[in-house]
């Protein structure tokens, strides 16, 4: 209980402080890149305060000068800060519109050019995708997506939704599959200082204590040879 309270207080304080910094510098940060670096710092602090340790594998296969769609599974609230902290790119998320007006967090996300989708109004969602396509062409940046569209509570993955993958095809960005393992366990044990979470790009081979992982070959997906019909 004490540990959980400590984590929540840290989240609130640092979200307010760093969110305010991002908002204040936004008039001078046209493309949101500096704000994006601050969000990476925020993510690192959130993980550190929560006692979550992580390891990344596969980044050597990626070109730091390029932009990607990072497609990850979603099993915990830790997934988002884990991806932002672990990926050394200017990354924005394809986020639900409910987050847009959340004090400090949502305001900071708007300043750093995240993309908000109204999942319950199809026409509005289509308009947002079109606007996002124009925005990504004008201001290229990597995008974090959770193709399942929701968080699993059983470790079983849901069918992928097509909207985000269609956007990747439209802008011609390659898709990098990400396997996130261990964050659900970390969320369940936030009182433990030795929580473990692993973000792994493309190749996962880990054995830690009683948790067994398997090799996952996750090839880079090039979208240039695909059309929207491939995902219809």
């Amino acid at each position: 209980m004490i540990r959980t309270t400590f984590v929540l207080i840290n989240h609130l304080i640092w979200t307010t402080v760093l969110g305010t910094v991002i908002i204040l510098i936004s008039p001078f940060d046209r493309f949101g890149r500096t704000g994006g670096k601050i969000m990476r710092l925020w993510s690192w602090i959130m993980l550190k305060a929560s006692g979550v340790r992580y390891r990344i594998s596969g980044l050597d296969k990626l070109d730091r000068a390029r932009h990607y769609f990072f497609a990850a599974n979603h099993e915990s609230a830790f997934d988002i800060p884990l991806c932002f902290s672990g990926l050394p790119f200017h990354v924005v998320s394809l986020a639900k519109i409910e987050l847009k007006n959340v004090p400090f967090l949502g305001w900071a996300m708007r300043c750093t050019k995240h993309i908000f989708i109204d999942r319950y109004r199809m026409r509005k969602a289509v308009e947002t995708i079109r606007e996002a396509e124009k925005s990504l062409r004008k201001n290229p940046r990597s995008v974090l997506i959770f193709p399942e569209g929701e968080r699993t509570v059983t470790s079983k993955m849901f069918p992928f939704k097509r909207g985000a993958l269609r956007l990747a095809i439209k802008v011609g960005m390659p898709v990098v599959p990400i396997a996130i393992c261990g964050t659900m366990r970390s969320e369940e044990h936030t009182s433990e200082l030795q929580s473990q979470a692993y973000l792994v790009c493309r190749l996962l081979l880990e054995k830690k204590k009683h948790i067994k992982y398997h090799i996952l070959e996750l090839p880079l997906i090039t979208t240039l040879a695909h059309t929207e019909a491939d995902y219809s």
Side-chain angles (χ1 to χ4, degrees):
M1 181 64 183
I2 295 177
R3 177 65 181 174
T4 301
T5 302
F6 171 79
V7 169
L8 291 175
I9 291 174
N10 266 278
H11 282 212
L12 179 60
I13 291 174
W14 286 108
T15 298
T16 302
V17 171
L18 295 181
T20 299
V21 172
I22 291 173
I23 293 166
L24 291 176
I25 68 169
S26 61
F28 314 99
D29 186 25
R30 180 182 175 187
F31 298 109
R33 292 169 187 163
T34 301
K37 292 178 181 178
I38 295 174
M39 291 204 78
R40 283 194 68 202
L41 173 63
W42 169 84
S43 298
W44 181 84
I45 292 173
M46 295 302 98
L47 296 174
K48 198 73 174 177
S50 302
V52 175
R53 297 184 296 171
Y54 62 93
R55 190 176 66 80
I56 306 168
S57 174
L59 288 177
D60 57 306
K61 306 298 192 299
L62 303 179
D63 184 349
R64 302 291 179 89
R66 296 188 65 184
H67 303 283
Y68 302 92
F69 267 66
F70 293 100
N73 57 305
H74 197 11
E75 60 179 33
S76 163
F78 285 121
D79 297 341
I80 296 172
L82 188 55
C83 288
F84 276 102
S85 177
L87 296 171
F89 297 86
H90 177 200
V91 181
V92 300
S93 62
L94 197 65
K96 54 187 180 182
I97 199 169
E98 291 86 350
L99 292 175
K100 190 173 184 178
N101 294 312
V102 173
F104 299 104
L105 176 61
W107 302 340
M109 291 175 69
R110 285 157 62 176
C111 291
T112 48
K113 317 303 180 186
H114 288 243
I115 302 165
F116 297 94
I117 294 289
D118 189 338
R119 299 173 297 172
Y120 304 107
R121 298 170 61 188
M122 185 58 65
R123 182 174 296 180
K124 186 65 176 177
V126 172
E127 291 176 4
T128 301
I129 292 295
R130 289 173 182 166
E131 293 172 2
E133 179 187 357
K134 295 177 182 177
S135 176
L136 289 171
R137 292 187 186 282
K138 184 178 180 180
N139 176 21
R141 52 211 190 270
S142 295
V143 182
L144 172 64
I145 61 174
F146 297 104
E148 298 167 273
E150 57 185 313
R151 189 196 311 176
T152 182
V153 294
T154 63
S155 296
K156 181 180 180 180
M157 295 187 70
F158 296 109
F160 285 8
K161 299 186 182 299
R162 296 169 294 189
L165 295 175
R166 283 179 172 173
L167 179 57
I169 291 172
K170 282 178 176 288
V171 297
M173 284 189 190
V175 177
V176 179
I178 293 179
I180 300 177
C181 299
T183 53
M184 181 180 291
R185 178 174 176 269
S186 292
E187 190 174 62
E188 293 171 350
H189 297 84
T190 53
S191 61
E192 296 183 8
L193 290 173
Q194 300 302 318
S195 298
Q196 296 282 345
Y198 294 101
L199 180 155
V200 184
C201 300
R202 299 197 58 191
L203 178 62
L204 171 62
L205 176 57
E206 283 296 324
K207 289 186 178 181
K208 194 70 172 180
K209 296 183 179 179
H210 301 296
I211 304 176
K212 295 182 179 179
Y213 298 109
H214 304 281
I215 296 176
L216 298 179
E217 292 289 352
L218 305 177
L220 191 69
I221 300 173
T222 302
T223 59
L224 294 176
H226 294 272
T227 66
E228 292 185 66
D230 295 321
Y231 292 89
S232 61

